[in-house]
Amino acid sequence: MTSVIFMGTPDFSVPVLKGLVKHGYVVKAVVTQPDKRVGRKQKITKTPAKLAAEKLNLPVFQPAKLSGSKELDNLIAMHADLIVTAAYGQFLPTKFLKSVKIAAVNVHGSLLPKYRGGAPVQYSLLNDDAETGITIMEMVKKMDAGDIYAQKALKIEPDDTTGSLFTKLAILGRDLLLETLPKIIDGSVRKIPQDPDKVVFSPNISKKQEKITLSMTATEANNLIRALNPDPGAYLMVDGKRLKVWKAKVSKDQTKLEAGSLVSNKNRFAISFANHTILDLLELQPAGKKRMTVKNFLNGQGSKFKPEEKIIDD
């Protein structure tokens, strides 16, 4: 029986954890990020990985910082065969990586060496890529720089968001990991070094990147909306207030109106962007309100705007 220390935090990690247990791997511990306060009421919320681990009756470790912690000493003392990580969210100390008998393996949501870092799925959408994928890789001290065990691509559909891609990639990652682990364990896998000339980084999305600007084309704005759905959400500035946009569609039409102008509010809320492009906003969230359809928005706050009026603040 092969023993595993599993490390993961968001929903992406859950199918991987469940797959390991289902296929007979002995999960000695689940390591995840600490519980956080979420929402206006600041309710303490467990990570998806922790919730899954508790249902599976697995021991959970949640060090705020793994390096130098008592939890790290306990994990090293387990002498597991494998470490498997899937969007854990912290660097792993070298002595921990070297403590396992076979390998430390990461399930990464991109086709490495493209998109090393914390936001590979978001950047695949921001850059309008045709595909993304999963890489099963060897973990080393340097971020996402280890040799590749296996890869599999996934087509990005026009209506995909970060949320929908994470759901698809979690299943793909689970299946590719379970297919690859036996080859890692028996030593038959062929590792492929990453090409350093093709490395692309995907740092975590900053607050500044959440804003939709008028220098963007409609396609670029829509890509940002998709990339930031379901969290944290992209926004426009309207009358000095944030208007979050959760869903939009690029129009085939063009306009001569200045970027940021209302093209139409008759059964649609269409905004002009750079290069004469138009974006139809379909699902919106005014400041302090819940998400709503464009129809409900136009029946309320949106009714005060007039076509050809510039309503977006840059």
Side-chain angles (χ1 to χ4, degrees):
M1 302 290 285
T2 304
S3 61
V4 176
I5 293 171
F6 179 80
M7 312 183 76
T9 298
D11 289 321
F12 174 80
S13 66
V14 174
V16 181
L17 172 59
K18 290 181 177 179
L20 288 168
V21 173
K22 184 178 179 180
H23 283 74
Y25 292 91
V26 178
V27 179
K28 288 191 169 185
V30 173
V31 188
T32 187
Q33 296 282 52
D35 300 339
K36 289 186 177 180
R37 295 185 181 276
V38 177
R40 292 181 181 178
K41 296 183 178 179
Q42 291 291 284
K43 182 180 179 181
I44 296 177
T45 304
K46 299 176 181 180
T47 71
K50 181 177 181 179
L51 291 170
E54 289 178 343
K55 288 182 180 179
L56 294 166
N57 295 315
L58 299 172
V60 176
F61 293 77
Q62 293 183 276
K65 184 180 179 182
L66 183 61
S67 182
S69 67
K70 292 181 179 179
E71 289 91 343
L72 177 61
D73 293 336
N74 291 334
L75 293 167
I76 290 173
M78 290 180 185
H79 300 294
D81 295 312
L82 297 166
I83 295 170
V84 174
T85 67
Y88 169 51
Q90 291 190 39
F91 281 104
L92 306 191
T94 301
K95 66 178 181 178
F96 181 40
L97 296 176
K98 291 182 176 180
S99 71
V100 291
K101 298 173 184 176
I102 299 174
V105 181
N106 182 37
V107 182
H108 184 78
S110 81
L111 299 173
L112 291 171
K114 192 174 186 180
Y115 301 141
R116 292 182 184 178
V121 177
Q122 290 88 336
Y123 276 86
S124 70
L125 291 168
L126 285 173
N127 293 331
D128 208 21
D129 291 350
E131 65 178 13
T132 180
I134 287 290
T135 299
I136 308 299
M137 56 167 285
E138 181 181 32
M139 294 197 71
V140 295
K141 185 177 181 180
K142 192 174 179 181
M143 182 178 64
D144 300 329
D147 292 348
I148 295 168
Y149 290 120
Q151 287 186 321
K152 195 163 187 178
L154 175 74
K155 181 182 178 183
I156 298 177
E157 301 294 343
D159 59 347
D160 269 325
T161 64
T162 288
S164 67
L165 283 178
F166 264 128
T167 299
K168 296 175 185 179
L169 288 169
I171 302 303
L172 183 65
R174 175 199 66 191
D175 293 347
L176 187 59
L177 175 72
L178 293 172
E179 177 186 319
T180 308
L181 277 183
K183 300 173 188 177
I184 295 174
I185 293 166
D186 68 18
S188 64
V189 71
R190 178 174 169 264
K191 294 190 292 184
I192 301 173
Q194 295 186 41
D195 185 344
D197 294 331
K198 294 182 178 180
V199 171
V200 178
F201 290 99
S202 59
N204 290 332
I205 301 296
S206 67
K207 290 285 185 183
K208 186 177 179 180
Q209 287 175 280
E210 296 172 18
K211 184 181 179 182
I212 303 167
T213 66
L214 299 183
S215 63
M216 297 176 179
T217 64
T219 295
E220 289 168 341
N222 190 45
N223 288 343
L224 179 63
I225 292 163
R226 294 162 63 208
L228 271 57
N229 183 350
D231 184 67
Y235 69 90
L236 292 159
M237 293 300 296
V238 181
D239 288 344
K241 297 180 180 179
R242 291 191 180 196
L243 177 66
K244 282 198 174 185
V245 186
W246 293 106
K247 188 176 182 181
K249 184 178 181 180
V250 178
S251 173
K252 295 179 181 179
D253 301 328
Q254 289 202 319
T255 181
K256 294 182 180 179
L257 294 175
E258 179 185 3
S261 301
L262 178 61
V263 178
S264 173
N265 65 346
K266 188 176 181 180
N267 299 321
R268 62 191 288 224
F269 192 57
I271 306 296
S272 59
F273 277 88
N275 296 348
H276 313 291
T277 57
I278 300 171
L279 187 66
D280 279 282
L281 310 185
L282 304 178
E283 188 177 342
L284 307 164
Q285 186 177 11
K289 302 288 185 179
K290 294 182 179 180
R291 294 190 193 190
M292 61 183 69
T293 63
V294 65
K295 181 179 179 180
N296 289 338
F297 178 76
L298 290 173
N299 288 336
Q301 294 184 28
S303 62
K304 65 181 179 181
F305 302 120
K306 297 178 181 179
E308 300 189 7
E309 176 186 5
K310 184 173 180 180
I311 64 170
I312 308 300
D313 307 321
D314 209 355

